[in-house]
Amino acid sequence: MTAPENFQLFTVKVLPADLQYDVEGDLTLLEAAEMSRVQLPSSCRNGTCRTCICRLVSGEVSYSIDWPGLTPEEKTEGYVLPCVARPTSNVVLDQPEASAF
Ligand code: FES
């Protein structure tokens, strides 16, 4: 059996703990982390509370909502909201509060 044409699999690395997990299909960075037993800070899970904010060291993401709770400056500086961000490449996040559970 072959994977559907639009199937995507990206790898996420989380610094500084050096945790790693995969994101399949259209899962968000947060959803995929939880499925891989990687704990990232979260609360609202809809892009408004900013509990999950962290910096994207490398890679690209897209958002499931039009305007996630980030200022234009934060976006320019590379901050992302993992609860509503989907990777469009392999990514590296800087989230000092991440841990394995
Ligand atoms: S958990 Fe609230 S903005 Fe991500």
Side-chain angles (χ1 to χ4, degrees):
M1 196 169 116
T2 56
E5 231 170 72
N6 61 353
F7 181 83
Q8 297 189 311
L9 177 67
F10 297 115
T11 299
V12 180
K13 192 171 187 171
V14 189
L15 302 175
D18 206 18
L19 303 168
Q20 190 165 313
Y21 63 94
D22 292 331
V23 183
E24 290 181 27
D26 67 346
L27 291 175
T28 65
L29 291 170
L30 177 63
E31 289 166 341
E34 290 171 342
M35 288 175 66
S36 303
R37 305 185 68 76
V38 171
Q39 184 146 28
L40 301 177
S42 70
S43 181
C44 74
R45 308 175 69 93
N46 64 19
T48 55
C49 76
R50 298 164 52 89
T51 300
C52 65
I53 193 168
C54 67
R55 210 168 63 77
L56 185 66
V57 177
S58 67
E60 302 283 335
V61 300
S62 68
Y63 286 100
S64 54
I65 57 175
D66 284 342
W67 190 244
L70 291 169
T71 66
E73 291 76 21
E74 287 169 337
K75 280 190 161 184
T76 303
E77 288 168 18
Y79 285 92
V80 295
L81 295 176
C83 68
V84 286
R86 293 178 165 82
T88 56
S89 71
N90 292 337
V91 303
V92 179
L93 300 175
D94 180 13
Q95 175 50 275
E97 292 176 43
S99 60
F101 70 95

